[in-house]
Amino acid sequence: MVTIRIAIGEQRDASYDIMVGRGILQDIGSLVPSACRAARYAVISDATVAALYGAGVLARFADASLSAELFEFPPGEDQKTRATWSMLSDRMLARNFGRDAAVIALGGGVVGDVAGFVAATYLRGIPYVQIPTTLLAMLDSSIGGKTGVDVPAGKNLIGAFHQPRLVVADLDVLGSLPAAQLVAGLAEAVKHGVIADREYFEFLEQAHDDVRARTAKPLEHAVTRSIEIKSEIVAQDERESGRRAILNFGHTVAHAIEANANFSLLHGEAVAMGMVHEARLAEMLGIAPRGTAQRVRALVAQCGLPLERPRESSIDDLLRIMQLDKKARAGSVRFALPRAIGAMQGNAETGWTVTAPEAAIRASLALD
Ligand SMILES: NC(=O)c1ccc[n+]([C@@H]2O[C@H](COP(=O)([O-])OP(=O)(O)OC[C@H]3O[C@@H](n4cnc5c(N)ncnc54)[C@H](O)[C@@H]3O)[C@@H](O)[C@H]2O)c1
Ligand SMILES: [Zn+2]
């Protein structure tokens, strides 16, 4: 088992452990109470994950004489809503969960975001633990404390920063994850390489097939290296006032593509497309040297991810959505762009995002 400790906040006063290993879900009866002691645990999961792992998790709590109850909702991005948040909160209230309770988020990013938001707001906030069960949740969404729900106006627009007390990533649960979901998670791993670590990007260029085949060592390396990169960035900038923005590489375009496709794409697929277009934009603006975009595109292709925006999404529509995005300022769209593989444009003074002329954005969105 590998443990990565993340220290958050100005004083680095809050810290928690991210544990990565095989079979460690068997140990949650001891891991959870030592990091997050509570009188009762509300285990929140979606129906798919609950059917696979819910009973096992409850049994480990029972073995350790801990009180735990399962609360589930249907799977899918379209369930990441205020309605799900209020249904879960109301059911916990009806079961008399008090301030001495804690939430266990057992599932992918959807479960982690909703359950985290329930924990952030329940009786003004109770602690929670993340047990991510998708690759994307393990190497990205379970870390950093962003919680929330989607609303008609856009993704993740209502939410809170609320850091978990512990993250337990058991690689064994990836055995049941559908291949398309595994591949979608790889998109965020590629992103981590581009934004912060050229060697890691090169590792993925070599090992993408092994990671996709879930070979133990390469898969473990991808999860732990991505977690280290994300933790390091988040620790410096918990609330995204500065460098944390580099995690949005690929995401300005991705969020527009997702919204335009009515969230019918997987998040990782949209991120893959977004990285290809935004890397091209970085070259067009003279920020990244020639060849950078092609290298990103080649790795995205090798991972089995889609390469460009869906044909049905028009450039006009995508631009309009980007101009409305919460990260846009006064209608001008901002991007986090690489200046090379492994390094992002920007610094503490200028900030970590750049605006781009509309003509360049349009050109970068042209289909091949
Ligand atoms: N909070 C953050 O910082 C952050 C970062 C990135 C993404 N996100 C969010 O994460 C969400 C996407 O997360 P996701 O890709 O994990 O999607 P998801 O939670 O919808 O999970 C994908 C599907 O896989 C199923 N599943 C999960 N684990 C499984 C397993 N072990 N075996 C079999 N099936 C399993 C789920 O039931 C679901 O149908 C998006 O809403 C995105 O906005 C949040
Ligand atoms: Zn993402």
Side-chain angles (χ1 to χ4, degrees), residues 260 309-319 365:
N260 196 239
R309 67 178 168 86
R311 272 176 197 278
E312 329 58 273
S313 62
S314 76
I315 292 178
D316 284 338
D317 286 344
L318 294 178
L319 252 179
L365 288 170

Side-chain angles (χ1 to χ4, degrees), residues 140 188 191 251 267 271:
D140 194 340
E188 303 280 8
K191 180 191 79 180
H251 282 61
H267 175 69
V271 170

